[in-house]
Amino acid sequence: MTAPSPTVFDHLAGQLARLSSTVGLGDTGAAALDILPDLLGAAAEQQLGTGPIWPSDVADDHSPVEFSLAMDTGRAPALRLLGETISERPDVVQNAHQLRHFLQAAADRFDLSLDRFNRVADLFLPGNYDATFLLWYSLVLRPGRRPDFKVYFNPAAQGPENAREIVAEALARVGLGPAYDHLARHTLCRGDHDQPVFFALDLHDQPHSRVKVYVAHEDASAADAVRCADPINGVEADRLIDFCSVAGRTDRFSSRPLISSYTYVSPDTDRPSVYSLYLPIRDYVSDDEAARERTATVLTHNGFQPDLLDRAIRCLTDRPLAEGSGLIAHVSLRLGAAMRPGVTVYLSSEAHAVSRPRQLN
Ligand code: TRP
C-alpha cells in the first residue's frame, strides 16, 4: 500500500503549525489549526499536485491562503492568514456564501460582532459572478489571544464603475460618512488609475475595531504615495520614499500597482488614523533571494531584525530562494501618529506552484 498523497490541508496545516511555533503562538495557533478545514472549504481535501479547483486571486498560484507576518514596535509579531473559502461548487458567489455561513456559525465561539458586516453586506453580496472575488477572510493570530477575524469585500462587486459609490455608501453605513470626501480629495484623484480594491472590517467589537479602505494606484510613483498619505498625522514622507526606493525605484511602478490603505479607528470619523503602503515586491525583483534582501533592508530601516523573516521563510519551503519568485509577494509599511512604524511581509504558501524567476524589463 502506498501512503495517501498529501492534501492542500496537509500542506497548509504543516506550514501553519511551523509558523505558529516560530512566532510562539501556543494555543492561538492550535485554535487556528482547528478551524483551518472550515476556512479552506472544498480546497482542504484536494490532493497536492492536481491543480487548484478554483483560481483564487489570493495568491499567484491560486492557493486559497496567503500568510503574513506583521511586526510592530513594542508588540509581539502577529501571524495572519488571508484566504478564500472554496465551495464544493466553486464560484465567487458560492465561495462568499460559504464563508458568510461559517462566520455566522462561529460568531459565539470567537465573539465576533457581525453588526457592521450586516449593515454593509447587501452593497457587496451576492455580487457579480465575474468579479475576481466577493468575500475573503483574514485570521489574525497573536500569542495569548483568541484568533481575530477580518473580512474583505470587493468594491467592484457590482462592476468597477460602481466601486466608488459603493465605498462611499459603505463608509456612511458604518458611521464614517465624512471619510469619503477625504478619500476622494487626496487619493482617488487620478481617474481610473486610482481604484478602490478592498473594503475591510474587523469583526471584533472592541474600541480599536477598524474599518479599512484599500486603493490601488496604477503607474504611481513614490511621490504619489506621499501625496496620498499627506493629510494623515504622523506619516513621514522620507520613510515612504525610502520604502519605495528599496524596490529599486521611486518613479513609476508600472507592473503590479502600489496600494494604499486607510485605517479608520473610532472615534475619528472624518480622517484615517493610519496609512499603509503595499509594495508588490515580487514584480520588481528577479527572484526570492533578491526579494528577501530588499525586504530585510525594509525591516532594518524601520527598526526590526530580519531573523524572524528568515525563520518564517524556512517554515514554508526549503528550496533555494533564487530558484523561484513570488514567495515574498508584498511588503507593507504602516505609519501613523499613534504608533511607531510597522512592517508586514506577505508570504506565499506555494501549495500549487512555484513561480519561476522573472526577467525584469
Ligand atoms: N494576490 C492579489 C494581489 O497580489 C491580492 C492580494 C493578496 C493582496 N495579498 C495582498 C493585495 C496584499 C495587496 C496586499 O494583488
Side-chain angles (χ1 to χ4, degrees), residues 57-60 66 82 136 198 214 256 259 278 280 282 329-330 346:
D57 191 43
V58 160
D60 292 353
E66 177 184 74
L82 169 72
W136 285 348
F198 303 111
Y214 296 71
R256 248 174 242 274
I259 295 181
Y278 302 74
R282 66 197 185 286
H330 288 86
Y346 296 78

Side-chain angles (χ1 to χ4, degrees), residues 94-115:
Q94 288 305 322
N95 292 352
H97 182 75
Q98 185 155 331
L99 173 57
R100 189 173 188 179
H101 187 76
F102 168 78
L103 293 171
Q104 280 159 347
D108 279 351
R109 180 169 167 206
F110 293 100
D111 208 10
L112 308 182
S113 162
L114 295 175
D115 175 47

Side-chain angles (χ1 to χ4, degrees), residues 302-324:
N302 289 285
F304 301 99
Q305 302 284 343
D307 57 312
L308 182 61
L309 168 67
D310 291 326
R311 284 185 281 135
I313 287 174
R314 287 305 164 215
C315 295
L316 297 174
T317 183
D318 52 15
R319 71 167 166 79
L321 292 182
E323 286 180 9

